[in-house]
C-alpha cells in the first residue's frame, strides 16, 4: 500500500486505537489519588500525535526524533498502567490487552525508526 500521509501508517492507526481503547479498560476511580487516568490518556494521545508531527517534518533526523518521543510516551503509558495495577485501581485483566497493543505499536515504531535510519 502506498503511503500518502501519516494516516496511512499502520503504526499511527494502531496508536490511535490505543488512545481510544479506554472502553476495554475498567473505569478507574474518578477521585483516585495519583491522577493516573488523565496521565495514561495524555501519554497515549501523545503517541499518534508525535508520529503525525514527525511525519510532517522535512528531514529524516527530525522524523526519527519524534518517533523516539512517541516511544517514550508509550513507555510512560505502560508504566502508568502497571502502577495503576500495583496500587489496586486496575486489574491485570483490564490492562493486559492495552499492554499487548502497546507492545505491537512499540515494535512498529522500532521498525520504522530502523527503516528511516537505513535509507
Amino acid at each position: 500500500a502506498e503511503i500518502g500521509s501519516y494516516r496511512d501508517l499502520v503504526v499511527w492507526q494502531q496508536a490511535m486505537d490505543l488512545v481510544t481503547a479506554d472502553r476495554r479498560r475498567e473505569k478507574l476511580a474518578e477521585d483516585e489519588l495519583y491522577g493516573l487516568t488523565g496521565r495514561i490518556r495524555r501519554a497515549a494521545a501523545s503517541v499518534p500525535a508525535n508520529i503525525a508531527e514527525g511525519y510532517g517534518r522535512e528531514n529524516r533526523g527530525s522524523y526519527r526524533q519524534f518517533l523516539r518521543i512517541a516511544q517514550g510516551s508509550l513507555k510512560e503509558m505502560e508504566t502508568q498502567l502497571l502502577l495503576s495495577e500495583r496500587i489496586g485501581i486496575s486489574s491485570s485483566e483490564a490492562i493486559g490487552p492495552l499492554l499487548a497493543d502497546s507492545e505491537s505499536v512499540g515494535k512498529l515504531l522500532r521498525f520504522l525508526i530502523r527503516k528511516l535510519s537505513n535509507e
Side-chain angles (χ1 to χ4, degrees), residues 1 3 7 21-22 24 30 34 47 65-67 77 79-80 82 84-85 89 100 102 105 113 116-117:
I3 304 296
R7 290 174 291 196
D22 269 339
R24 294 198 328 242
E30 291 297 321
Y34 297 93
V47 177
Q65 182 59 28
F66 276 95
L67 294 176
M77 184 200 75
T79 298
Q80 291 161 352
L82 291 165
S84 74
E85 177 190 20
I89 60 173
S102 180
V105 171
I113 290 167
L116 290 169
S117 297

Side-chain angles (χ1 to χ4, degrees), residues 42-56:
R42 280 189 295 280
S46 178
V47 177
N50 277 292
I51 293 167
E53 188 169 352
Y55 187 90

Side-chain angles (χ1 to χ4, degrees), residues 18-83:
L18 195 57
V19 176
T20 57
D22 269 339
R23 65 178 91 58
R24 294 198 328 242
R25 182 169 37 87
E26 65 194 31
K27 192 76 172 156
L28 298 178
E30 291 297 321
D31 58 347
E32 45 97 356
L33 182 61
Y34 297 93
L36 286 173
T37 304
R39 289 179 184 203
I40 290 166
R41 288 187 180 128
R42 280 189 295 280
S46 178
V47 177
N50 277 292
I51 293 167
E53 188 169 352
Y55 187 90
R57 296 299 169 128
E58 293 295 320
N59 74 46
R60 289 186 190 280
S62 183
Y63 188 10
R64 283 193 311 266
Q65 182 59 28
F66 276 95
L67 294 176
R68 288 185 186 107
I69 293 167
Q71 279 182 313
S73 294
L74 204 56
K75 295 304 176 193
E76 179 184 355
M77 184 200 75
E78 290 173 6
T79 298
Q80 291 161 352
L81 285 168
L82 291 165
L83 183 57

